[in-house]
Amino acid sequence: MELRDKFGRKISYVRLAITDRCNLRCQYCMPAHGIAIVDRKELLTYKEMYRITRVLSELGVNKVRLTGGEPFVRKDFVNFLESLSFNDKLDEINITTNGALISNHIDKLEALNINAINLSIDSLQKEKFAKITRRDVFDEVYDTFEKLEKSRLKLKLNVVVQSGFNTDEIIDFIELSKTKDIAVRFIEEMPFNGKGQRDMKEEWNFNKIINHVKEHYPIIETLKDKKSSTSRNFKIPNYKGTFGIIPAFTRTICSDCNRIRITATGMFKNCLFDGGVFNVRDFIRNGASDEELKQLFISTVHKKPENGFIAEAARGSNISESMSTIGG
């Protein structure tokens, strides 16, 4: 048995949100006062998360990304990582984090053979970082960045390109890849700012970002992307690292999508843009067997929409969720 949708795409990757809580208040993610966080009883327990991941791995899902909110905000997250690392069907465990809380866990992450860390960092300037995140933790995040870069873990930097805020730093981020073995990824800003609309001076989409980079470098190598890669990847000749652009809003990466999402409260999402298909938490708490879970996952994935535009249209409402609620 495996997870395959009606377009023939094999699902091998799950994004699992550990919590809806976060220690930052990034402008593009949530309003300044934060979001209405759910009661802890509504969150999936670690035991439930382990079980969901195990069942999915028996259906061919071999890659898991743990997101939030901020996963390290949740108590005992590192212990959960340890239990997850015993699942021999998982080839990769990756984590997306803002880095403010993890510098003393890096040795442990290496010991558990965590594959890659995606570090969210939208500015290299302390004051600007504080303005974007509404928190003064730049020094901690940069310290984490330097420690991760020296570790055995693969490191990607996630930079949300925000009109009028950090577009002047795009080249500074690429220059980090000159001497560091990192992948810098520029992400098109999404309309999940707690209000649902994009209030921008100008739209920094994929084309605008790459044209801006081309103005600064005479030669840019285009790299061959892995199938189902979310980013289009490039390299400056002789630079140690790479950079990529994730067309999150223009959605030109849907055709070979291999992923599903499960939110912190157990909502199963075939697509970032859908409204959620069913709640796996309730299904488990009502006594579902592993076999019933498998059948539910198989039938749900079969209905996966062809792309993000179709998924969004099918929602039939203008509800806007915070990225912290969805799981990044």
Side-chain angles (χ1 to χ4, degrees):
M1 289 194 293
E2 62 179 14
L3 293 175
R4 205 173 273 277
D5 70 11
K6 59 180 177 286
F7 304 100
R9 295 175 297 199
K10 185 177 183 304
I11 303 305
S12 57
Y13 183 9
V14 61
R15 292 182 65 112
L16 176 63
I18 299 297
T19 179
D20 62 341
R21 292 150 170 82
C22 189
N23 51 326
L24 304 185
R25 293 287 178 270
C26 297
Q27 294 192 358
Y28 54 84
C29 180
M30 59 171 92
H33 56 77
I35 55 168
I37 57 174
V38 302
D39 189 277
R40 284 186 198 281
K41 291 193 295 288
E42 292 182 42
L43 296 176
L44 287 168
T45 66
Y46 285 135
K47 194 173 176 184
E48 288 166 339
M49 287 183 202
Y50 183 85
R51 185 176 171 206
I52 290 165
T53 310
R54 182 71 208 180
V55 168
L56 285 170
S57 70
E58 287 169 5
L59 292 171
V61 171
N62 60 3
K63 185 173 172 182
V64 60
R65 172 169 298 285
L66 304 169
T67 68
E70 167 52 44
F72 286 89
V73 164
R74 188 159 178 182
K75 193 166 175 271
D76 294 330
F77 173 58
V78 176
N79 291 343
F80 172 65
L81 281 177
E82 191 157 6
S83 65
L84 210 55
S85 70
F86 289 119
N87 183 344
D88 56 357
K89 291 184 181 296
L90 290 178
D91 295 332
E92 276 185 30
I93 300 172
N94 300 320
I95 303 169
T96 297
T97 174
N98 60 39
L101 302 169
I102 81 163
S103 62
N104 59 346
H105 294 300
I106 292 171
D107 291 350
K108 180 72 172 171
L109 299 180
E110 283 186 305
L112 292 175
N113 288 322
I114 301 301
N115 175 62
I117 303 288
N118 284 21
L119 180 66
S120 299
I121 179 168
D122 298 324
S123 177
L124 298 169
Q125 298 169 23
K126 189 176 165 78
E127 291 76 24
K128 198 188 290 185
F129 182 92
K131 201 168 178 184
I132 291 170
T133 63
R134 304 190 180 104
R135 295 290 183 272
D136 181 18
V137 291
F138 177 77
D139 293 339
E140 291 90 328
V141 173
Y142 202 82
D143 177 57
T144 296
F145 164 55
E146 293 189 311
K147 285 177 177 166
L148 284 170
E149 200 263 319
K150 294 181 178 72
S151 76
R152 293 197 312 273
L153 302 158
K154 288 183 194 154
L155 177 59
K156 294 178 180 175
L157 299 188
N158 284 354
V159 184
V160 176
V161 177
Q162 299 156 67
S163 171
F165 263 105
N166 63 353
T167 51
D168 59 333
E169 293 190 66
I170 289 172
I171 303 306
D172 295 340
F173 274 106
I174 290 178
E175 281 300 299
L176 287 176
S177 75
K178 186 172 190 172
T179 56
K180 299 180 192 302
D181 184 16
I182 58 173
V184 179
R185 287 130 48 96
F186 300 108
I187 305 173
E188 290 179 341
E189 190 177 352
M190 304 272 285
F192 292 101
N193 56 4
K195 298 194 293 291
Q197 69 266 23
R198 308 209 303 168
D199 180 20
M200 299 186 182
K201 294 181 176 64
E202 54 186 334
E203 187 175 326
W204 278 77
N205 59 18
F206 177 93
N207 290 333
K208 189 169 177 66
I209 295 167
I210 195 65
N211 288 335
H212 176 72
V213 177
K214 284 175 177 171
E215 286 171 13
H216 288 79
Y217 299 100
I219 302 170
I220 297 173
E221 295 172 21
T222 302
L223 302 175
K224 188 165 170 38
D225 298 323
K226 276 194 254 179
K227 191 169 158 50
S228 71
S229 170
T230 52
S231 57
R232 303 278 177 256
N233 298 298
F234 308 92
K235 188 176 171 66
I236 307 301
N238 302 317
Y239 277 32
K240 199 171 177 184
T242 63
F243 75 94
I245 303 170
I246 298 178
F249 191 70
T250 48
R251 289 171 244 183
T252 52
I253 48 175
C254 296
S255 61
D256 52 4
C257 179
N258 68 339
R259 68 202 62 210
I260 51 176
R261 293 167 179 267
I262 294 173
T263 71
T265 56
M267 187 58 75
F268 185 105
K269 292 169 79 83
N270 266 321
C271 172
L272 171 63
F273 291 91
D274 75 30
V277 189
F278 68 89
N279 193 300
V280 66
R281 176 201 67 204
D282 296 345
F283 198 61
I284 286 174
R285 290 182 188 176
N286 287 333
S289 68
D290 285 1
E291 198 49 47
E292 286 169 325
L293 271 177
K294 282 181 185 174
Q295 291 307 323
L296 188 62
F297 289 148
I298 288 166
S299 61
T300 304
V301 161
H302 189 69
K303 303 186 192 93
K304 186 174 168 71
E306 188 172 7
N307 58 49
F309 296 106
I310 291 168
E312 191 172 33
R315 292 180 73 154
S317 72
N318 60 358
I319 296 166
S320 170
E321 300 155 296
S322 158
M323 267 304 195
S324 190
T325 310
I326 299 171

